Amino acid sequence: MNTDIATDPRVDRLYALLPAVHRMRDAERGYPLKALLRVIAEQVNVVEDDIAQLYENQFIETADDWAVPYLGDLVGYRPVAEAGAPADGPGCEAPRVLVPRREVANTIRYRRRKGTLALLEQLANDIGGWPARAVEFFKLLAWAQNLQHLHPDRHRTVDLRQVEALELLDGPFDRITHSVDLRRIGSQRTRGRCNIPSVGVFVWRLRSCSVTLTPACCIEESGPHCFSFSVLGQDAPLYVRPQPETDPTRIAGELDLPVPIRRTAFDARIADFVGVDASLSIRVDGWGGLTGSDPVPVAQLLAADLSDWRYVPPLNRIAVDPVLGRLAFPPSQLPKKGVRVSYHYGFPADIGGGEYGRPILQPAVPPALPPAKAFELYRVGEGETHRRVGEALAQWQHDRPQHAVIEFAASGVYVEPIEIVLADHQTLQLRAANRTRPVLRLIDWQTDLPDALTVTLGEGSRITLDGLLVTGRPVQILGATPGEGASTCGGEVVIRHCTLVPGWGIDCDCEPKRPAEPSLALSNVRARVRIEHSIVGAIQVHEDEVRQDPIALCIADSIVDATSAQRQAIGAPGASWAHATLTIQRCTVFGIVDVHAMALGENCIFSGCVNVARRQIGCMRFCWVPTECRTPRRYHCQPDGVVAAVKARVTDDAARQASEIANETLRVEPQFSARRYGRPAYAQLGPGCAVEITRGADDESELGVYHDLYQPQREANLRTRLTEYTPAGMNVGIVFAS
């Protein structure tokens, strides 16, 4: 039954109309009539809601997605073909990101402001969903001075003494004078910039993501006074928290955009970046006369280059390096009670453990129980009933409820062993509260046994990990061993919106600490395994292939990272095939995939080879996978498509055909901005990636984990609208700043 029914107060209204005698008899039989009337009430509610929505569909703010193009037609709005044809009803809705709601709402205002730079920035935000800055490049051209029309800021070339201006060179905030570039900014080949008719719209694809009140990581190998903002200890640039726009006619500046914080800007305008509601803040309890409840004042912070940890800040001052995400204390004035930080980092999308809004998955509600008593809730955190995970688990084991949720109430780091044993048909969720990011840091607790987050399943049980970041050790899921009787079956393992750090941990350069170790180990698990919107390291499946059927492994909208294309991303101990049937959709896999069978591979990128034991089962469609792999049937995959095109075009010269096949195969190989977890553009397709990859999915979106961002369609729609609203005689182009 749909779990959303349990949250609707109207779910049992038909059942409440029955005479009491029928409800009593229904209770004696286990509530079959109640379950039936719930299904009928669900459809009644749908009809009532649709009737009530008819009035709301007359307004752009409240209309359903399918009604937006029809409202746009009333004001003369013409949809762009890249977004697809308008949907005819709720059954064929377009992706939410491509619904032009804001564009339709602002169509009249756009026409009144046609030709202004601020309008081009607003178009990028409303149509592409990207923050942007528009630049007129003719203002950067060198100017031959005339006494009657002087331009003292454009009379010379670069001044090597202007450090900040050199930092901004060739970027969206460039102030240095340039010579003319005759190439068009909108060229499909080599783009130019600084020309009289050129207007550039710089857009940022990376988002500024928050981390709130999380312990900083002490870099002990460098010194007890050295800290990293990231709890994992890697160097990562701090990002600006964009401020809300108050004047729509003003051109966006650095504080309005999700850009990395520069050292010179931080030094010159430190008060603009530090504060409770600003880009970063630091709390140190008992240091320099401060309390942990108040952030460190701006006067006690200073900008510094901490790339080699040689800089020593003076007493009562904290050095901050926003480029590397580091901070340092005076060696003679160390913090005694820990350091907590709030900051922002860059990332392409809402996947993995993070402080973003995500749908909370509630346990299924039995028909016989009211929603309030469907499951037991144990909250963990400061000011909650349980301060530690172990306390909540002990209470859960004492109560032994059939359905339970252990929820982390706030962001923070939890360092303790976690071992969970589920009884038959028992379910448990280990989840983060919405917009929080708890970190489970697993360390060496015992010398004679391995340390991991261990879950032992029972018959038909279910474990769910939701919104967590796990580092230090793997997550190990265990079933019943052959000597313990019947193996478990019918259960489920769900990992959603989680990060199981590849390689268990990363160093300051984002290199994995244990690259050969798996982040998820499944041993004798007779259950369905489902991974959604997550970042996981290598997955190791250890099953009894002789007596059992392969388990179902379903992965969607996720990254599986074995830290190298030559290591197993999905496999079994001893580099053998995992006894699993894989279904994988919209994923990016760094490493080799060795599985029993692949039921479906769709819109994915496999950087390493894919090998299946049963090629007759399933298919792969719209994927990039090396040609020499042992895969099921392929449909519209790359580089198969370009290889077939070369063979059809070149038939009379074998040497030339082989050369062109090699060139085309290399051309369409996916290019990434970053391959290491911990870097801002992790797994994002690079700017030089071939169109067969950036538009190679079944719906012409990009392949891989960021498929559902629909960035190619958004770029094409934005390019069309920019041309429509650009002044006559001007050439406009989109420049990706991140």
Side-chain angles (χ1 to χ4, degrees):
M1 185 181 297
N2 190 348
T3 58
D4 294 336
I5 303 176
T7 62
D8 193 336
R10 304 170 296 171
V11 65
D12 289 327
R13 58 175 179 166
L14 296 181
Y15 188 76
L17 298 177
L18 289 176
V21 62
H22 296 300
R23 296 199 297 269
M24 293 172 58
R25 292 175 179 174
D26 186 49
E28 295 173 355
R29 292 168 173 78
Y31 295 96
L33 183 58
K34 185 176 185 179
L36 174 63
L37 290 180
R38 277 191 172 185
V39 176
I40 298 174
E42 179 186 10
Q43 301 305 315
V44 172
N45 295 339
V46 169
V47 174
E48 284 190 348
D49 293 342
D50 187 62
I51 295 174
Q53 184 65 25
L54 292 177
Y55 176 78
E56 304 295 338
N57 284 345
Q58 300 181 41
F59 305 95
I60 188 63
E61 295 86 355
T62 57
D64 286 331
D65 291 344
W66 65 268
V68 170
Y70 297 99
L71 294 177
D73 189 56
L74 298 177
V75 295
Y77 168 83
R78 290 177 296 178
V80 183
E82 288 290 343
D88 295 328
C92 50
E93 295 176 351
R96 236 4 233 285
V97 71
L98 300 182
V99 175
R101 186 182 301 274
R102 285 180 293 183
E103 188 182 0
V104 170
N106 295 323
T107 296
I108 303 299
R109 185 166 58 172
Y110 291 162
R111 292 169 182 166
R112 290 174 178 171
R113 299 168 54 204
K114 181 176 181 179
T116 62
L117 287 182
L119 172 61
L120 301 184
E121 295 179 357
Q122 186 175 354
L123 285 172
N125 183 66
D126 292 352
I127 299 172
W130 294 311
R133 173 181 169 86
V135 177
E136 294 175 306
F137 285 109
F138 75 88
K139 294 183 178 181
L140 299 178
L141 292 176
W143 184 275
Q145 300 297 309
N146 188 304
L147 293 178
Q148 297 181 352
H149 196 185
L150 294 175
H151 287 271
D153 57 334
R154 297 161 60 185
H155 70 287
R156 63 182 180 181
T157 55
V158 61
D159 185 351
L160 298 181
R161 291 167 293 185
Q162 296 181 352
V163 178
E164 186 171 13
L166 291 172
E167 275 189 353
L168 301 174
L169 181 63
D170 288 336
F173 307 100
D174 191 358
R175 299 195 299 263
I176 294 178
T177 304
H178 294 253
S179 58
V180 67
D181 188 346
L182 298 180
R183 297 171 297 177
R184 292 183 297 109
I185 192 171
S187 173
Q188 296 298 320
R189 297 185 180 275
T190 305
R191 297 182 180 181
R193 288 195 184 181
C194 294
N195 201 351
I196 294 176
S198 295
V199 177
V201 179
F202 290 84
V203 299
W204 279 262
R205 295 183 295 173
L206 294 185
R207 308 179 184 185
S208 184
C209 308
S210 64
V211 175
T212 307
L213 294 179
T214 296
C217 179
C218 181
I219 312 299
E220 296 183 71
E221 57 268 23
S222 300
H225 65 291
C226 304
F227 288 82
S228 170
F229 276 84
S230 172
V231 71
L232 299 177
Q234 89 275 18
D235 293 337
L238 307 184
Y239 273 66
V240 172
R241 177 189 180 185
Q243 300 300 319
E245 182 178 329
T246 57
D247 184 4
T249 63
R250 184 174 62 88
I251 301 301
E254 279 191 272
L255 295 178
D256 307 312
L257 299 166
V259 299
I261 302 176
R262 299 178 293 108
R263 290 191 185 103
T264 52
F266 188 75
D267 185 34
R269 303 183 299 275
I270 190 172
D272 294 333
F273 299 100
V274 178
V276 177
D277 297 324
S279 302
L280 65 98
S281 65
I282 303 171
R283 287 175 169 83
V284 188
D285 191 6
W287 181 89
L290 300 174
T291 63
S293 59
D294 298 322
V296 176
V298 174
Q300 293 186 260
L301 301 178
L302 56 88
D305 183 357
L306 301 177
S307 55
D308 52 8
W309 296 110
R310 292 182 181 178
Y311 178 80
V312 178
L315 289 177
N316 295 320
R317 303 292 295 274
I318 301 175
V320 177
D321 186 346
V323 175
L324 297 178
R326 294 179 175 182
L327 64 155
F329 291 82
S332 60
Q333 194 180 15
L334 300 177
K336 302 297 184 181
K337 298 182 180 180
V339 182
R340 292 189 300 168
V341 294
S342 298
Y343 64 98
H344 291 74
Y345 65 95
F347 203 72
D350 293 340
I351 66 169
E355 293 183 359
Y356 53 85
R358 69 184 193 281
I360 297 297
L361 181 65
Q362 300 289 3
V365 180
L369 294 177
K373 297 182 179 180
F375 58 90
E376 294 292 335
L377 177 63
Y378 306 91
R379 290 177 63 86
V380 178
E382 295 184 6
E384 301 294 338
T385 307
H386 308 285
R387 292 180 57 86
R388 306 186 65 82
V389 185
E391 298 174 6
L393 285 173
Q395 186 64 43
W396 168 73
Q397 291 174 351
H398 177 269
D399 297 341
R400 301 185 64 83
Q402 184 176 3
H403 307 284
V405 173
I406 297 177
E407 183 175 86
F408 297 87
S411 300
V413 179
Y414 299 85
V415 185
E416 52 186 307
I418 299 177
E419 185 174 357
I420 300 170
V421 179
L422 291 169
D424 293 347
H425 306 290
Q426 191 177 27
T427 69
L428 176 65
Q429 283 191 26
L430 220 64
R431 78 184 184 197
N434 203 13
R435 299 192 178 278
T436 64
R437 191 196 71 166
V439 178
L440 304 183
R441 186 166 174 262
L442 308 175
I443 60 176
D444 289 323
W445 287 97
Q446 46 196 5
T447 57
D448 56 343
L449 291 173
D451 294 282
L453 193 162
T454 305
V455 180
T456 303
L457 299 177
E459 182 80 16
S461 58
R462 183 193 304 117
I463 182 67
T464 301
L465 304 180
D466 191 349
L468 308 178
L469 190 152
V470 183
T471 181
R473 292 294 185 275
V475 173
Q476 189 170 12
I477 312 295
L478 305 175
T481 61
E484 294 175 346
S487 60
T488 58
C489 62
E492 188 174 31
V493 177
V494 180
I495 299 174
R496 59 191 303 269
H497 296 281
C498 287
T499 297
L500 311 184
V501 177
W504 294 8
I506 52 179
D507 59 18
C508 62
D509 294 326
C510 298
E511 292 296 322
K513 293 183 177 180
R514 302 287 292 272
E517 300 293 339
S519 293
L520 176 62
L522 306 170
S523 299
N524 200 41
V525 175
R526 310 309 309 159
R528 183 172 182 261
V529 181
R530 183 157 51 96
I531 302 173
E532 301 173 350
H533 298 93
S534 296
I535 300 171
V536 300
I539 302 173
Q540 193 173 89
V541 181
H542 186 199
E543 298 291 331
D544 186 355
E545 301 183 16
V546 178
R547 300 188 302 169
Q548 304 291 348
D549 293 331
I551 65 172
L553 177 59
C554 304
I555 309 176
D557 304 291
S558 299
I559 301 173
V560 183
D561 188 359
T563 70
S564 172
Q566 284 71 45
R567 295 192 181 96
Q568 266 192 341
I570 304 175
S576 60
W577 281 316
H579 196 53
T581 300
L582 177 65
T583 300
I584 184 167
Q585 298 172 286
R586 303 175 300 279
C587 291
T588 299
V589 181
F590 296 115
I592 301 171
V593 176
D594 293 328
V595 292
H596 174 81
M598 179 178 290
L600 175 64
E602 183 178 63
N603 296 333
C604 294
I605 295 176
F606 299 93
S607 67
C609 219
V610 176
N611 302 305
V612 299
R614 298 286 302 276
R615 300 183 64 182
Q616 301 88 349
I617 300 175
C619 71
M620 298 183 67
R621 56 191 304 271
F622 299 96
C623 294
W624 192 93
V625 59
T627 55
E628 66 276 7
C629 303
R630 176 185 173 90
T631 67
R633 293 169 296 174
R634 302 186 194 179
Y635 176 76
H636 279 255
C637 290
Q638 295 295 347
D640 298 356
V642 296
V643 170
V646 170
K647 290 181 177 179
R649 185 177 68 252
V650 182
T651 59
D652 54 349
D653 190 338
R656 179 188 167 197
Q657 183 186 85
S659 176
E660 291 200 18
I661 287 177
N663 291 337
E664 285 292 282
T665 301
L666 182 62
R667 181 182 66 84
V668 300
E669 185 174 348
Q671 306 295 321
F672 296 96
S673 299
R675 286 176 174 262
R676 287 296 183 220
Y677 171 73
R679 293 177 180 168
Y682 177 52
Q684 184 184 59
L685 294 179
C689 202
V691 68
E692 287 85 355
I693 305 300
T694 58
R695 305 211 65 166
D698 55 356
D699 54 2
E700 298 187 11
S701 186
E702 66 180 87
L703 298 179
V705 65
Y706 303 124
H707 167 276
D708 283 356
L709 295 180
Y710 294 98
Q711 293 188 118
Q713 289 90 334
R714 291 154 65 186
E715 179 186 357
N717 292 352
L718 176 58
R719 198 181 303 278
T720 301
R721 293 302 184 208
L722 289 176
T723 304
E724 180 180 343
Y725 288 99
T726 302
M730 303 294 286
N731 295 326
V732 65
I734 300 175
V735 182
F736 287 108
S738 66

